[in-house]
Amino acid sequence: MAACGLDFGTSNTTLGLVKAGLPTLLPLEGRHRTIPSAIFFPPGREPAIGRAAIEAYVEGVPGRLMRALKSVLGSPLIEETTPVGRERIRFRDVIARYLTAVKARAEAEANVSFDTVVHGRPVHFVDGDPEGDRKAEETLREIAQSIGFRHVRFQYEPIAAALDYEQRVTGEEIALIADIGGGTSDFSIVRLSPERHRRDDRVEDILANDGVRIGGTDFDRGLSLGAVMPLLGLGSPMKRGDLAVPNAYFHDLATWSSINRLYNPKTLREIDEVIRDGARPDLVTRLRSVVEAERGHSLAMQVEGAKIAASETGHGSVDLGFVERELEVGIDRDRLVGHTEDLSRRVAARIGRCLEQAGLPAERIDALFLTGGSTGLPHVRAALTASLPRAKVVEGDTFGSVGLGLTIEAGRLPG
């Protein structure tokens, strides 16, 4: 029996254990230490997870793809059921199936059985709802126990990232940890040093924790609603000039956890009525094509890819040729910022709250440690660094720092 650190993220998942005294993330899909938090249910067969799940969907294999699984924690969806083939499965059981497969792969790779887990969690699963937050953690605990973890501990994800960063510090410093992931943005202010790293009890070193339920998937949604969905009819008028096309379809189509809601005959009939009564039936017909072909996830992947490309090179695009020949949306960096700048400001505002909680001025922060995929967005990074102009900026393992920190903590557990 052994203990592991499990970072079940909105976008990706890692699982690690301490080997030869070092925290090590295990390969979970080929040589990859990270695996996308995705599951695909083909009819009559065992589900696929990770990259294999996404590839099956993209290749047109019949079945049901689900991504951003973690985002249903803290929402009413967690106790609801969703159709998978001829049966209905609770969302919490979907998460359990995914994590069961991850755990089994890790155990086979390490040749051990894991009965203890240090589970990462955001500072807030739900904004401004302590009871909802408690329920979300309890649900994740119950899921972990149901798949074979007898002992379950939780750690805030930015605190875990701090433990990873602390391995490289050479003297005492106060660091602000910014973990900007797929579903949440989480911050901690922590006092670090090589000597403190050896301590088991770090309560006195944690000066502040805060977070907000904004992450990479929210930037995807903002970009999709602003740049792509108008081409499918969002904001277009009905024949009655004082009404616009209902926007719920577009919000569901732009939100990973809601896309599958649209795939049913009732929604298609409703969209047909909108086409009949809309002033731009040509646009809404494009929406119908996406929903009828169940290509919402393909569209979401295109938007995510365009966001990343615009961030890295200054220009990306969303190819809608599968909807209408030669239909394409160009996404440059200015357009990305224009549709998501408010999100970046709201994320960075949490730094001020952390400083207030810690009772520190910005000048007292020695290092800003960045981890999580959304720190790659230039305007997010600029908003964060502007809040702490004197702090050195330290790059973490974008997708591995949290998992490594959780593994460090798991390795310190007795027994």
Side-chain angles (χ1 to χ4, degrees):
M1 294 296 180
C4 65
L6 175 57
D7 178 22
F8 169 46
T10 301
S11 299
N12 296 282
T13 296
T14 67
L15 191 150
L17 83 165
V18 173
K19 296 172 66 175
L22 296 175
T24 304
L25 299 182
L26 296 169
L28 297 174
E29 191 170 23
R31 295 180 179 179
H32 297 286
R33 300 181 309 155
T34 63
I35 183 168
S37 301
I39 188 167
F40 181 79
F41 292 90
R45 288 185 288 159
E46 285 298 306
I49 65 170
R51 294 166 185 82
I54 296 169
E55 289 170 6
Y57 171 81
V58 171
E59 291 171 2
V61 176
R64 171 86 183 274
L65 176 69
M66 302 179 73
R67 285 192 69 181
L69 305 173
K70 186 179 179 181
S71 62
V72 300
L73 288 165
S75 79
L77 278 176
I78 190 64
E79 298 299 339
E80 294 183 10
T81 63
T82 185
V84 175
R86 297 183 179 180
E87 61 177 325
R88 296 191 67 89
I89 303 176
R90 292 188 303 171
F91 279 99
R92 64 188 294 154
D93 295 328
V94 172
I95 294 174
R97 290 194 186 191
Y98 170 77
L99 290 178
T100 294
V102 168
K103 181 173 182 282
R105 290 187 183 189
E107 290 177 331
E109 177 68 29
N111 194 30
V112 298
S113 294
F114 294 115
D115 70 336
T116 300
V117 62
V118 178
H119 226 312
R121 58 151 293 171
V123 176
H124 302 301
F125 283 101
V126 194
D127 294 339
D129 183 2
E131 180 59 18
D133 196 74
R134 185 196 65 77
K135 287 182 178 179
E137 181 182 293
E138 186 57 30
T139 297
L140 194 53
R141 182 188 304 278
E142 291 168 358
I143 291 171
Q145 291 172 334
S146 75
I147 68 172
F149 289 117
R150 291 194 299 135
H151 309 290
V152 182
R153 291 182 56 168
F154 287 95
Q155 180 56 275
Y156 289 147
E157 287 154 3
I159 295 297
L163 294 176
D164 175 47
Y165 170 49
E166 194 173 34
Q167 295 182 104
R168 68 174 87 170
V169 302
T170 57
E172 183 161 313
E173 63 183 46
I174 297 176
L176 190 142
I177 313 298
D179 174 25
I180 318 298
T184 60
S185 296
D186 296 287
F187 301 90
S188 293
I189 298 177
V190 190
R191 185 178 287 107
L192 306 173
S193 73
E195 294 74 27
R196 294 176 187 277
H197 188 69
R198 292 190 286 269
R199 298 178 183 175
D200 291 331
D201 186 354
R202 302 300 299 277
V203 173
E204 293 183 355
D205 297 331
I206 300 171
L207 308 180
N209 292 305
D210 200 5
V212 63
R213 193 177 168 117
I214 297 174
T217 56
D218 298 285
F219 286 86
D220 295 345
R221 181 171 58 248
L223 181 59
S224 183
L225 290 171
V228 179
M229 293 302 161
L231 294 179
L232 307 186
L234 175 63
S236 65
M238 301 294 283
K239 289 176 180 176
R240 282 185 54 187
D242 58 336
L243 295 176
V245 168
N247 63 20
Y249 308 116
F250 305 99
H251 282 268
D252 281 347
L253 196 59
T255 305
W256 280 108
S257 60
S258 302
I259 293 171
N260 285 302
R261 289 179 182 174
L262 299 171
Y263 300 157
N264 59 79
K266 179 176 180 292
T267 297
L268 288 175
R269 289 194 298 270
E270 291 175 357
I271 294 175
D272 285 337
E273 292 177 5
V274 176
I275 292 172
R276 183 192 65 207
D277 298 332
R280 291 295 308 273
D282 55 323
L283 299 183
V284 184
T285 297
R286 294 172 178 172
L287 170 67
R288 193 190 195 286
S289 297
V290 175
V291 174
E292 183 179 25
E294 298 189 358
R295 302 311 292 175
H297 289 88
S298 293
L299 182 57
M301 291 176 201
Q302 291 251 14
V303 172
E304 181 183 29
K307 176 192 71 175
I308 294 170
S311 297
E312 294 178 348
T313 69
H315 184 79
S317 63
V318 178
D319 183 358
L320 296 171
F322 68 95
V323 176
E324 185 177 299
R325 188 175 179 180
E326 298 184 357
L327 183 63
E328 186 175 1
V329 185
I331 306 291
D332 60 20
R333 190 168 292 172
D334 288 343
R335 200 170 191 186
L336 169 62
V337 172
H339 293 305
T340 62
E341 189 171 18
D342 178 63
L343 293 173
S344 66
R345 285 197 296 263
R346 289 167 60 194
V347 167
R350 296 323 247 208
I351 290 181
R353 292 175 55 125
C354 267
L355 292 170
E356 183 179 348
Q357 187 183 139
L360 294 173
E363 294 74 19
R364 287 290 307 280
I365 303 300
D366 301 303
L368 170 62
F369 182 75
L370 300 175
T371 187
S374 296
T375 58
L377 298 174
H379 60 305
V380 172
R381 179 182 293 257
L384 296 174
T385 55
S387 301
L388 300 169
R390 296 189 181 180
K392 65 180 178 182
V393 178
V394 182
E395 302 284 348
D397 183 329
T398 301
F399 301 109
S401 281
V402 171
L404 287 167
L406 294 171
T407 301
I408 289 170
E409 185 160 328
R412 293 172 172 171
L413 295 178

